[in-house]
């Protein structure tokens, strides 16, 4: 399933890698629903937000939905690394989390970014 995500994500524009320095401190920070981070044009091309690859992290398991196919398994979070273990293939995928658990980055040659759905980064400037 991760390979399918990588294939879909290959359409993402190449941007300089941004190192994620400070990981989420609590396991609960990474629990939630994430979607492949995409530009508005990429969302339109995919056919809407519901068509983007989705990663759901729940308390006791994870699920990934890509093009109508689902994979799932167990996960653990330690030292800013979220490791997903696929229950069918046994494959492990490692994501790094940002400080608030708002973004997960799949580690690999071409990092794939997922953003927490419905969450926004706090505004750090006062207007």
């Amino acid at each position: 399933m991760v390979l399918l995500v990588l294939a879909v994500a290959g359409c993402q524009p190449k941007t300089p890698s941004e190192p994620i320095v400070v990981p989420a401190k609590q396991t609960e920070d990474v629990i939630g629903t994430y979607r492949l981070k995409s530009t508005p044009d990429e969302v339109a091309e995919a056919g809407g937000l519901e068509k983007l690859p989705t990663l759901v992290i729940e308390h006791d398991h994870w699920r990934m939905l890509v093009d109508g196919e689902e994979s799932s398994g167990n996960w653990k979070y330690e030292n800013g690394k979220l490791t997903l273990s696929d229950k069918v293939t046994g494959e492990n995928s490692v994501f790094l989390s940002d400080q608030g658990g708002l973004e997960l980055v799949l580690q690999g040659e071409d990092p794939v970014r997922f953003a927490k759905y419905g969450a926004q980064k706090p505004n750090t400037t006062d207007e």
Side-chain angles (χ1 to χ4, degrees):
M1 183 59 72
V2 172
L3 294 176
L4 186 56
V5 169
L6 292 174
V8 170
C11 299
Q12 289 184 308
K14 304 291 182 207
T15 57
S17 293
E18 300 171 19
I20 297 177
V21 180
V22 182
K25 292 181 181 170
Q26 300 179 10
T27 299
E28 291 78 24
D29 290 342
V30 298
I31 294 172
T33 300
Y34 296 81
R35 291 220 169 110
L36 184 67
K37 191 169 181 179
S38 305
T39 66
D41 289 341
E42 292 167 333
V43 172
E45 187 177 314
L49 283 174
E50 65 281 351
K51 300 289 184 180
L52 293 175
T54 303
L55 173 61
V56 180
I57 307 294
E58 296 189 12
H59 289 281
D60 59 349
H61 70 282
W62 63 271
R63 296 181 298 125
M64 185 176 290
L65 306 164
V66 179
D67 290 335
E69 294 189 31
E70 182 174 320
S71 61
S72 62
N74 298 315
W75 62 272
K76 70 177 180 177
Y77 182 75
E78 294 178 336
N79 301 322
K81 291 184 180 181
L82 175 67
T83 303
L84 307 181
S85 298
D86 190 297
K87 70 179 179 184
V88 173
T89 66
E91 177 183 330
N92 288 329
S93 302
V94 177
F95 290 82
L96 295 182
S97 170
D98 68 357
Q99 184 173 11
L102 299 178
E103 190 169 296
L104 298 174
V105 181
L106 177 64
Q107 296 305 285
E109 191 174 303
D110 189 17
V112 177
R113 296 181 182 280
F114 283 82
K116 190 173 267 187
Y117 184 68
Q120 294 179 340
K121 291 186 178 181
N123 187 357
T124 57
T125 59
D126 294 312
E127 296 181 82

